[in-house]
Amino acid sequence: MLATLPFEATVSLGSRLDEALELAWMALQPICRGSDGSVVGHEALLRTRSSALRGPLEILEAARRLDRMEDVGRRTRRLSAALLQPGADLYVNLWPSDLLDPDLGSDECALRPIADRVVLEITEHLPIEAVPGLTSRLQRLRALGFRIALDDFGAGHAGLSSWARLEPEILKVDRRITSGLPECRAMRRILEGAVELASHSASIVVAEGIETVPQLEACVAAGCHLVQGYLLGMPAPMPAQTAAVAWRH
Ligand code: G
Ligand code: MN
């Protein structure tokens, strides 16, 4: 992959990535209980104050081209660990390459001391089948106290086979499903079906991407335990301790 980049371009992209990671910070977005709106967790989302690379997508693309995904994962975990809020779990995104990184779950891993408060969100940017020894890696992470979430469920990447392989404690249903609610009956049935399937393994369902009150009500009516989205709270440097919308009782 690097061979396609001329030497100067590699050096320049490398120093831009260094700067972006140096100036990186994590925004926190609240995750709320569907029944009463109380904040039970925060998802940590990568941001940077650097203009050398703008935003997480450019950082990830640069890291991928330079084969430096581990640097991003380690920096993300270190920054996230410092942001654990009292009484709330911390949701941290993993890339499949992080599952191969010996740092994850090691004595040096910043998340290890707080593992029982951390949910590791896994999505399929790379097929999960491509991770060698996935089952034993997950077993080890769970033995340390981490919980596993399947992220972006229903988005096309994260499907039923990933669900079967990961056996996640938490299922995060992508906004491409929840955005169709309440109007789209098919999306509602898919969401209800996911909740039903999740109940057989006692998994918790999080509805992502909630932007309107009718969407929120439809997700709660479908049985989603937790909800997340701009309506409840934007990703922000100061963690929200309460939902941005009033709950109906
Ligand atoms: O893949 P994952 O689910 O981790 O994606 C998180 C991304 O989704 C973040 O970049 C965050 O800013 C964005 N996001 C969070 N809530 C909403 C929402 O309600 N609507 C939209 N469109 N994006 C959201
Ligand atoms: Mn996520």
Side-chain angles (χ1 to χ4, degrees), residues 43-45 91-94 121-123 151-152 172 208 228:
E43 179 172 353
L45 295 161
Y91 288 63
V92 178
N93 289 286
L94 287 193
E121 297 193 10
I122 300 177
T123 189
D151 201 6
D152 304 325
K172 298 193 79 179
E208 295 185 297
Q228 179 182 0

Side-chain angles (χ1 to χ4, degrees), residues 85-148:
Q85 299 298 305
D89 291 331
L90 184 65
Y91 288 63
V92 178
N93 289 286
L94 287 193
W95 295 278
S97 55
D98 290 319
L99 284 171
L100 300 173
D101 183 352
D103 173 79
L104 183 68
S106 72
D107 288 347
E108 284 74 43
C109 176
L111 295 174
R112 186 165 167 169
I114 54 168
D116 60 350
R117 305 280 306 283
V118 174
V119 176
L120 299 173
E121 297 193 10
I122 300 177
T123 189
E124 272 189 294
H125 299 293
L126 182 125
I128 280 174
E129 295 89 69
V131 178
L134 178 72
T135 309
S136 58
R137 280 167 209 275
L138 292 176
Q139 244 169 20
R140 174 168 153 66
L141 290 169
R142 285 189 165 112
L144 293 171
F146 291 108
R147 280 160 290 163
I148 304 293

Side-chain angles (χ1 to χ4, degrees), residues 51-65:
S51 53
L53 294 172
R54 283 181 304 269
L57 292 181
E58 283 191 22
I59 292 177
L60 290 173
E61 176 59 16
R64 194 187 58 75
R65 291 178 75 180

Side-chain angles (χ1 to χ4, degrees), residues 175 178-179 208-216 228-232 234:
R175 62 176 167 273
T178 57
S179 63
E208 295 185 297
I210 306 292
E211 294 180 354
T212 69
V213 171
Q215 242 180 346
L216 169 64
Q228 179 182 0
Y230 294 162
L231 180 74
L232 294 321
M234 300 294 290

